[in-house]
């Protein structure tokens, strides 16, 4: 079975990945202000604009369209005419349309504005150092290919739109999905689509660990632990958020809801006090908890992943932003039942706060929201699970900020590795 997984992985991921540079310092060099200046990447002061010309009959492109619609009936009519509604505002909706749909809507006087979107789904040029799904997958594949004795890559499941959710694993004797009795540490990013730094931190952590694998103080963890890294849990949402070379401020996954709207908040979809507090059962809202606990394939994949790896002891789920380290519970003001675990959360969290300059606190101090992944991981599996709210003053910090955020978070992650074999020491 495991050979089948490797074969499929090799077939599914482009071979270009084999030749890719995986060096941590080179990855950082690519995002340095000097390098960006060298490449003369312009940093625009305003979002890029695309000249909009009504498409010809032969045009097969896609368009981002804003059309007028003030009520559910009008929105339903737009859906039936082929508009893929993504955002609903008062008096208008925005979404994707093929050229012929755009022409038809325009002839009925329904179009407020439109712009062509490039087939490529990518970050705006000034933030091209961030890794999109393809680049993330290729880099993970390249890291695994360069370190075959210790690293493997496998998919933990597929997203709503059918993308693989890739996991990199560092373990000297267990590869792919096979079980291991070594203590496990698990780093996870991008529950929320627009939180792109939360992909960069675990992704570059993986590159850094492999670059430094022979340093005795790192080798001892690589030899004795089972390390899992899933940098991008919600690639559908990420690809939507960066589609057309601009940001969409999108948070959720890409599930189609019964009212035609999109998305469940994946960090409200786990089965601990599901949909009780700080979440909404209105599908159009950003904090929609989904039809049921674990209704979403991405959350289900995480559930199966934890079930398959009961050796996992420690965990960080990366989010942005706020410079906080949050420990359970966040779904209730109640304390975790074990005094020993509470002490470990405070001690380990405080140490990681020292290393990052973040504040360590109980998650509910921020706000109470139930159904989040870390509460569930702790409650269901006893995992010492921390939510990190990384730096940034908004959801789109400049690529030049990646370096410092990643570096300090590597220190915190390595400290967590040092505590994984015995978190209570
Ligand atoms: O609300 C969330 O899911 C997280 N914040 S974010 O801005 N990244 O969306 C925080 C989760 C922390 N958990 C609780 N306070 N329950
Ligand atoms: Zn988040």
């Amino acid at each position: 079975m495991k050979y089948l997984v490797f074969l499929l992985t090799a077939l599914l991921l482009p071979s270009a990945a084999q030749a890719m540079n995986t060096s941590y310092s080179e990855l950082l060099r690519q995002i340095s202000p000097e390098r960006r200046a060298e490449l003369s990447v312009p940093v625009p002061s305003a979002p890029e604009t695309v000249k909009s010309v009504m498409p010809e009959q032969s045009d097969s492109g896609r368009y981002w369209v804003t059309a007028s619609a003030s009520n559910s009936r009008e929105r339903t009519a737009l859906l039936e005419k082929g508009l893929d509604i993504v955002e609903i505002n008062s008096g208008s909706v925005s979404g994707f349309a093929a050229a012929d749909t755009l022409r038809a809507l325009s002839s009925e006087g329904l179009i407020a504005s439109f712009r062509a979107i490039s087939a490529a789904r990518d970050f705006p040029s000034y933030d091209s150092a961030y890794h999109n799904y393809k680049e993330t997958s290729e880099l993970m594949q390249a890291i695994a290919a360069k370190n075959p004795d210790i690293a493997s890559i496998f998919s933990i499941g597929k997203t709503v739109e059918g993308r693989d959710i890739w996991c990199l694993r560092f373990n000297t004797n267990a590869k792919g999905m096979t079980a291991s009795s070594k203590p496990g540490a698990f780093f996870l990013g991008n529950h929320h689509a627009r939180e792109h730094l939360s992909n960069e931190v675990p992704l570059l952590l993986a590159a850094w660990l492999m670059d430094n694998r022979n340093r005795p103080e790192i080798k001892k963890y690589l030899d004795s632990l089972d390390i899992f890294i899933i940098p991008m849990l919600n690639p559908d949402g990420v690809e939507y958020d960066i589609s057309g070379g601009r940001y969409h401020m999108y948070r959720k996954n890409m599930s189609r809801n019964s009212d035609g709207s999109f998305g469940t908040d994946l960090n409200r979809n786990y089965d601990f006090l599901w949909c009780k507090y700080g979440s909404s059962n209105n599908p159009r809202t950003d904090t929609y908890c989904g039809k049921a606990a674990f209704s979403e394939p991405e959350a289900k994949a995480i559930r199966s992943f934890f079930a398959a790896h009961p050796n996992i002891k420690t965990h960080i789920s990366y989010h942005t932003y706020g410079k906080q380290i949050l420990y359970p519970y966040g779904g209730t003001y109640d304390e975790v039942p074990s005094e020993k675990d509470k002490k470990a959360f405070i001690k380990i969290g405080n140490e990681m706060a020292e290393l990052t300059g973040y504040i360590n606190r109980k998650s509910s101090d921020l706000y109470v929201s139930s159904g989040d992944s870390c509460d569930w991981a702790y409650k269901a599996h006893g995992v010492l699970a921390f939510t990190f709210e990384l730096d940034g003053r908004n959801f789109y910090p400049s690529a030049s900020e990646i370096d410092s955020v990643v570096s300090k978070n590597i220190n915190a992650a390595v400290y967590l590795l040092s505590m994984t074999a015995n978190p209570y020491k």
Side-chain angles (χ1 to χ4, degrees):
M1 176 63 184
K2 73 182 177 191
Y3 297 107
L4 181 64
V5 171
F6 291 138
L7 184 64
L8 285 175
T9 302
L11 289 173
L12 287 172
L13 287 173
S15 58
Q18 310 282 334
M20 186 177 262
N21 195 321
T22 66
S23 139
Y24 174 71
S25 50
E26 176 54 26
L27 290 165
L28 284 190
R29 211 176 74 77
Q30 287 168 10
I31 59 181
S32 70
E34 296 74 29
R35 176 68 178 148
R36 288 161 72 235
E38 214 174 287
L39 294 169
S40 47
V41 177
V43 181
S45 51
E48 290 164 290
T49 52
V50 177
K51 195 163 167 264
S52 301
V53 179
M54 193 53 71
E56 308 274 321
Q57 200 84 37
S58 56
D59 187 326
S60 60
R62 302 250 299 153
Y63 291 80
W64 177 256
V65 168
T66 299
S68 34
S70 343
N71 53 44
S72 163
R73 196 181 47 76
E74 290 176 4
R75 289 190 288 271
T76 308
L78 288 173
L79 282 176
E80 288 169 0
K81 289 181 207 300
L83 179 65
D84 186 356
I85 297 176
V86 178
E87 291 169 11
I88 299 177
N89 299 302
S90 64
S92 73
V93 294
S94 298
F96 295 109
D100 54 347
T101 305
L102 171 59
R103 276 197 312 273
L105 295 176
S106 168
S107 68
E108 293 181 45
L110 292 168
I111 297 296
S113 66
F114 67 94
R115 52 192 229 104
I117 54 170
S118 58
R121 295 188 146 202
D122 211 349
F123 284 96
S125 56
Y126 54 91
D127 273 343
S128 62
Y130 278 94
H131 293 84
N132 63 22
Y133 175 65
K134 182 168 178 284
E135 291 159 350
T136 298
S137 309
E138 287 178 359
L139 182 53
M140 293 169 77
Q141 170 69 9
I143 291 170
K146 286 216 170 114
N147 299 278
D149 55 326
I150 186 170
S152 56
I153 178 169
F154 61 101
S155 168
I156 66 159
K158 289 203 186 277
T159 64
V160 171
E161 293 181 344
R163 291 186 178 85
D164 277 299
I165 302 166
W166 295 113
C167 179
L168 249 185
R169 182 182 196 181
F170 302 139
N171 185 314
T172 50
N173 48 28
K175 302 279 177 279
M177 289 180 286
T178 52
S180 168
S181 55
K182 292 180 177 182
F186 172 31
F187 302 92
L188 171 64
N190 251 159
H191 263 86
H192 290 142
R194 63 194 170 199
E195 298 174 10
H196 303 290
L197 256 185
S198 75
N199 177 49
E200 298 303 319
V201 166
L203 181 62
L204 297 190
L205 167 68
W208 187 91
L209 285 172
M210 287 303 96
D211 274 13
N212 291 279
R213 54 176 290 184
N214 293 321
R215 277 169 52 188
E217 66 275 28
I218 300 304
K219 187 176 183 315
K220 66 182 179 195
Y221 303 132
L222 292 169
D223 283 346
S224 59
L225 300 177
D226 193 11
I227 301 170
F228 298 96
I229 301 183
I230 300 178
M232 195 182 280
L233 177 64
N234 180 13
D236 296 356
V238 168
E239 291 294 290
Y240 168 65
D241 190 56
I242 60 177
S243 60
R246 71 180 184 90
Y247 294 125
H248 294 263
M249 263 303 228
Y250 192 71
R251 173 177 169 94
K252 302 187 281 180
N253 76 345
M254 292 306 285
S255 268
R256 189 66 181 244
N257 300 320
S258 54
D259 64 351
S261 67
F262 278 88
T264 287
D265 182 346
L266 293 177
N267 211 31
R268 299 290 181 279
N269 194 236
Y270 292 79
D271 192 11
F272 176 67
L273 301 172
W274 174 76
C275 215
K276 263 209 135 126
Y277 309 109
S279 40
S280 164
N281 52 22
N282 176 352
R284 291 200 200 138
T285 60
D286 260 1
T287 52
Y288 176 50
C289 56
K291 291 192 291 287
F294 288 119
S295 57
E296 303 310 298
E298 296 87 354
K300 270 190 193 127
I302 292 294
R303 176 177 60 181
S304 311
F305 171 76
F306 270 105
H309 301 288
N311 57 322
I312 294 175
K313 304 278 175 254
T314 58
H315 170 50
I316 296 175
S317 177
Y318 296 101
H319 286 255
T320 69
Y321 48 96
K323 302 189 185 186
Q324 313 262 340
I325 296 172
L326 307 168
Y327 60 84
Y329 293 120
T332 163
Y333 289 114
D334 293 352
E335 299 285 347
V336 295
S338 153
E339 201 51 40
K340 187 175 161 208
D341 289 347
K342 183 179 165 186
K343 275 200 182 124
F345 277 126
I346 293 172
K347 177 178 175 209
I348 297 172
N350 282 351
E351 192 62 42
M352 293 193 293
E354 190 74 28
L355 292 164
T356 51
Y358 300 166
I359 292 170
N360 179 45
R361 47 162 49 154
K362 185 171 179 289
S363 208
S364 58
D365 287 354
L366 189 64
Y367 46 70
V368 174
S369 69
S370 56
D372 93 20
S373 69
C374 286
D375 275 9
W376 173 81
Y378 173 71
K379 177 74 180 172
H381 294 285
V383 174
L384 294 178
F386 295 88
T387 300
F388 271 44
E389 295 284 1
L390 300 167
D391 308 54
R393 286 171 303 281
N394 56 48
F395 286 115
Y396 302 109
S398 146
S400 62
E401 292 179 46
I402 297 174
D403 183 345
S404 66
V405 179
V406 169
S407 319
K408 60 184 164 186
N409 274 283
I410 286 173
N411 296 337
V414 170
Y415 170 75
L416 193 68
L417 294 180
S418 79
M419 297 302 284
T420 296
N422 180 9
Y424 303 104
K425 66 187 171 203

